[in-house]
């Protein structure tokens, strides 16, 4: 499995911005799908956004559309999650994931064992 390392989390005020990074141990195009998930305390992990690495197309959950953007740099084996206009409800541990193939955002990493996961980075919005 690919190793994924996230960074860039932190504490920001509502309306602020953050950029999360996910660096992979191998070529990210080996995985058709890379994505970002988040989990708030007491809640289930939820999908945030999906990147089809070959197509360079993305999809996002409704609550973050227009505020979050996933970008990729294949030479750096990295994807980023640019988050703007952050809201308190965006507070969560954010995880990067990679899956060899997926159909769409709703089904990515279901079950979770089908994906490689990073260790997570905390985002707190107050």
């Amino acid at each position: 499995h690919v190793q994924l390392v996230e960074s860039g989390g932190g504490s920001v005020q509502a309306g602020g911005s953050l950029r999360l990074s996910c660096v992979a141990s191998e070529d990210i195009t080996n995985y058709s799908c890379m994505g970002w998930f988040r989990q708030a305390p007491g809640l289930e992990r939820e999908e945030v956004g999906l990147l089809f690495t070959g197509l360079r197309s993305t999809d996002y959950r409704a609550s973050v559309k227009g505020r979050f953007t996933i970008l990729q740099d294949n030479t750096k084996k990295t994807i980023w999650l640019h988050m703007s206009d952050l809201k308190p409800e965006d507070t969560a541990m954010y995880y990067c994931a990679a899956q060899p193939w997926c159909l769409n955002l709703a089904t990515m990493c279901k079950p979770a064992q089908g994906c490689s996961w990073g260790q997570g980075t905390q985002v707190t919005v107050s």
Side-chain angles (χ1 to χ4, degrees), residues 13 18 32 44-45 50 54 56 61 69 101 113 115:
Q13 292 187 336
L18 279 175
S32 178
E44 293 187 356
R45 184 164 51 195
L50 162 64
R56 291 182 176 262
R61 68 181 299 109
T69 303
W101 181 88
Q113 299 93 317
C115 281

Side-chain angles (χ1 to χ4, degrees), residues 29 59 82 92 105 107:
T29 61
D59 193 16
H82 291 255
L105 180 60
T107 60

Side-chain angles (χ1 to χ4, degrees), residues 5-47:
V5 179
E6 304 99 329
S7 63
S11 296
V12 296
Q13 292 187 336
S17 300
L18 279 175
R19 185 183 75 168
L20 306 184
S21 300
C22 172
V23 181
S25 60
E26 61 183 82
D27 187 345
I28 61 174
T29 61
N30 290 341
Y31 295 81
S32 178
C33 300
M34 293 195 71
W36 288 93
F37 291 73
R38 66 187 182 187
Q39 186 169 21
L43 299 179
E44 293 187 356
R45 184 164 51 195
E46 63 183 19
E47 63 280 357

Side-chain angles (χ1 to χ4, degrees), residues 61-90:
R61 68 181 299 109
S63 62
V64 307
K65 280 184 179 179
R67 301 188 297 121
F68 289 14
T69 303
I70 298 175
L71 297 175
Q72 70 185 96
D73 187 327
N74 295 351
T75 63
K76 296 181 178 179
K77 304 176 186 176
T78 300
I79 68 169
W80 294 273
L81 179 65
H82 291 255
M83 305 184 293
S84 62
D85 190 22
L86 283 161
K87 305 175 187 300
E89 52 264 40
D90 295 318

